[in-house]
């Protein structure tokens, strides 16, 4: 990237907006520690993704490399593209996080969300411990958007079956199989709401940010010689 703010996301929802009300009520319901609306499968999805985003995606990259690439050169280029996009996405996300400094559900919900139409719950707790940095946008979703999109660009298709394995001890299903790269993006958006640490709008904004980063990296770096997509 040219600067850490190059792909800064738009501001989070205004606290008087319908979007904020929807986000707040959703995470308050399905993301709480003792939620009665979150299903067992949703809980397991949440726990699966409650692992380091970079670690999860390195695991996926190794799977893809071993199962789909026969050339060391192709594998090296894929890893270089994916990890550059991952690193730049993290920089972009954290620039936005500290620029907006938006509150997490664990702070917003006991305070009533800054909106008189919302209900406060002073005893509300999320399913997992809340990270100690600002909420908006989501780091997991930014990284996942960047890596999954760069893989789609690399292979020329979104449709490729791959596996990812978590190290989270609470996840019952340790390995999940996806038939599309974007399927993983969709799942992590839900997962971060299910565990009560992010709002859906934050997850979607981060994914879009990650896609922008991936497009930039793929266009400007590690370009194969003679590829007409890059004028060669």
């Amino acid at each position: 990237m040219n600067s850490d703010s190059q792909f800064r996301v738009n501001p989070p929802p205004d606290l008087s907006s319908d979007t904020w009300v929807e986000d707040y009520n959703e995470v308050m319901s399905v993301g709480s520690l003792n939620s009665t609306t979150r299903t067992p499968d949703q809980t397991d999805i949440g726990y699966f993704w409650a692992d380091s985003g970079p670690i999860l995606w390195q695991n996926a990259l190794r799977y893809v490399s071993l199962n789909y690439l026969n050339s060391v050169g192709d594998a090296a280029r894929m890893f270089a593209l994916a990890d550059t996009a991952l690193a730049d996405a993290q920089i972009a996300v954290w620039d936005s996080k500290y620029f907006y400094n938006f509150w997490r559900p664990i702070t917003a919900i006991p305070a009533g969300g800054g909106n008189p139409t919302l209900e406060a719950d002073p005893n509300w707790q999320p399913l997992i411990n809340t990270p100690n940095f600002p909420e908006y946008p989501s780091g997991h979703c930014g990284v996942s958007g960047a890596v999954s999109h760069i893989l789609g660009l690399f292979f020329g298709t979104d449709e490729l079956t791959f596996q990812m394995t978590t190290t989270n001890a609470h996840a019952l299903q340790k390995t999940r199989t996806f038939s599309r790269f974007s399927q993983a993006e969709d799942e992590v958006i839900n997962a971060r709401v299910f565990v009560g640490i992010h709002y859906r709008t934050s997850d979607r904004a981060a994914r879009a940010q990650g896609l922008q980063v991936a497009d930039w990296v793929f266009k400007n770096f590690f370009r194969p010689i003679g590829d007409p997509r890059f004028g060669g």
Side-chain angles (χ1 to χ4, degrees):
M1 297 189 299
N2 293 327
S3 71
D4 54 2
S5 62
Q6 182 176 349
F7 299 106
R8 183 177 291 165
V9 296
N10 291 327
D14 187 272
L15 300 186
S16 64
S17 68
D18 291 341
T19 299
W20 169 242
V21 171
E22 292 172 6
D23 281 352
Y24 178 98
N25 286 330
E26 180 186 27
V27 73
M28 184 180 186
S29 176
V30 301
S32 69
L33 178 62
N34 300 309
S35 173
T36 59
T37 58
R38 186 182 57 243
T39 68
D41 184 55
Q42 289 172 337
T43 299
D44 203 43
I45 289 172
Y47 279 138
F48 178 90
W49 285 96
D51 194 356
S52 163
I55 289 176
L56 284 167
W57 280 105
Q58 295 308 314
N59 179 281
L61 290 171
R62 288 193 295 272
Y63 180 92
V64 169
S65 176
L66 289 171
N67 286 275
Y68 294 101
L69 299 177
N70 297 318
S71 163
V72 172
D74 287 343
R77 178 169 177 258
M78 182 196 72
F79 273 98
L81 283 166
D83 284 319
T84 300
L86 186 155
D88 279 358
Q90 287 188 302
I91 292 169
V93 165
W94 258 257
D95 164 78
S96 295
K97 279 182 179 292
Y98 282 96
F99 184 80
Y100 293 114
N101 199 28
F102 199 63
W103 53 358
R104 295 271 186 175
I106 197 172
T107 304
I109 292 173
N115 184 318
T117 68
L118 295 172
E119 178 183 352
D121 182 353
N123 299 313
W124 189 90
Q125 291 290 320
L127 179 63
I128 67 171
N129 291 333
T130 297
N132 60 344
F133 41 80
E135 188 274 337
Y136 182 86
S138 161
H140 268 57
C141 294
V143 164
S144 296
V147 178
S148 62
H149 189 51
I150 208 89
L151 288 172
L153 292 170
F154 178 85
F155 284 100
T157 180
D158 181 49
E159 297 181 1
L160 188 144
T161 299
F162 69 100
Q163 292 182 345
M164 184 181 290
T165 301
T166 187
T167 62
N168 190 300
H170 295 291
L172 299 178
Q173 184 178 346
K174 302 296 186 185
T175 299
R176 300 183 72 82
T177 301
F178 303 94
S179 59
R180 303 184 317 278
F181 295 124
S182 60
Q183 185 182 5
E185 297 174 25
D186 294 337
E187 188 170 274
V188 71
I189 285 176
N190 290 325
R192 305 312 271 173
V193 178
F194 295 157
V195 294
I197 64 171
H198 277 297
Y199 313 104
R200 187 166 297 276
T201 296
S202 174
D203 294 344
R204 289 172 172 167
R207 174 169 65 175
Q209 184 180 42
L211 266 59
Q212 287 182 301
V213 170
D215 283 335
W216 169 265
V217 170
F218 192 77
K219 179 181 178 181
N220 291 285
F221 301 100
F222 311 110
R223 297 179 295 182
I225 297 173
D227 191 322
R229 290 175 296 176
F230 306 101

